[in-house]
Amino acid sequence: MRHRLTNPRFWIMVFAVGWLLMVFASIAFWPEPGGESPDELAAEVTKALRAHDFHQLQPLLALGGEDVAKSTVEHLRAAQVERGFYRDGAVVVEYTHAGTRAEFRLPVEVQDGRFVVNPVLTPTG
């Protein structure tokens, strides 16, 4: 037994198996994109925009990925996000920029049973 514990091959194998188990566990428990409800989605979008963090916003988007998330956050970089809420099928974000209050709307869609925003206009019908 002592020989096994001092053998480097044993520890390399233990490390490799442990690493594979960690990868499989992280994939299995990876959070689904979007929110469980429109109100939860609005709270997450507001939190991401307040933090000016496109990495937080990206998993909440239906389309566009990193480029759209960066662009959206960049447009609000100089603004102060007041609040966000769900109304009439969209997340409404109220913000102040240079003393002027404004709002913008992000349409909400359902994908795989989760609510996501779609800042990219897509034709329907």
Side-chain angles (χ1 to χ4, degrees):
M1 178 74 170
R2 181 160 167 44
H3 181 299
R4 181 180 286 172
L5 293 176
T6 59
N7 187 347
R9 286 187 206 156
F10 172 75
W11 289 109
I12 290 171
M13 188 175 80
V14 167
F15 175 76
V17 170
W19 183 78
L20 286 173
L21 287 173
M22 182 197 64
V23 168
F24 286 127
S26 66
I27 290 171
F29 296 110
W30 194 267
E32 293 292 322
E36 291 184 13
S37 70
D39 294 324
E40 179 186 316
L41 176 64
E44 291 297 317
V45 168
T46 304
K47 180 178 154 189
L49 293 175
R50 277 187 183 145
H52 304 292
D53 187 357
F54 72 91
H55 292 294
Q56 284 182 352
L57 184 62
Q58 185 177 351
L60 305 173
L61 301 178
L63 297 170
E66 188 174 326
D67 293 336
V68 173
K70 278 183 182 178
S71 175
T72 304
V73 168
E74 204 51 46
H75 279 51
L76 290 172
R77 174 107 19 225
Q80 180 181 356
V81 176
E82 302 293 331
R83 68 183 186 129
F85 53 91
Y86 178 75
R87 179 179 68 203
D88 299 329
V91 172
V92 179
V93 178
E94 294 179 348
Y95 64 95
T96 303
H97 182 265
T100 305
R101 293 180 57 94
E103 68 179 34
F104 72 95
R105 300 170 55 85
L106 297 165
V108 174
E109 295 181 356
V110 178
Q111 284 185 350
D112 299 327
R114 305 276 296 178
F115 293 89
V116 292
V117 295
N118 186 0
V120 180
L121 297 176
T122 54
T124 58

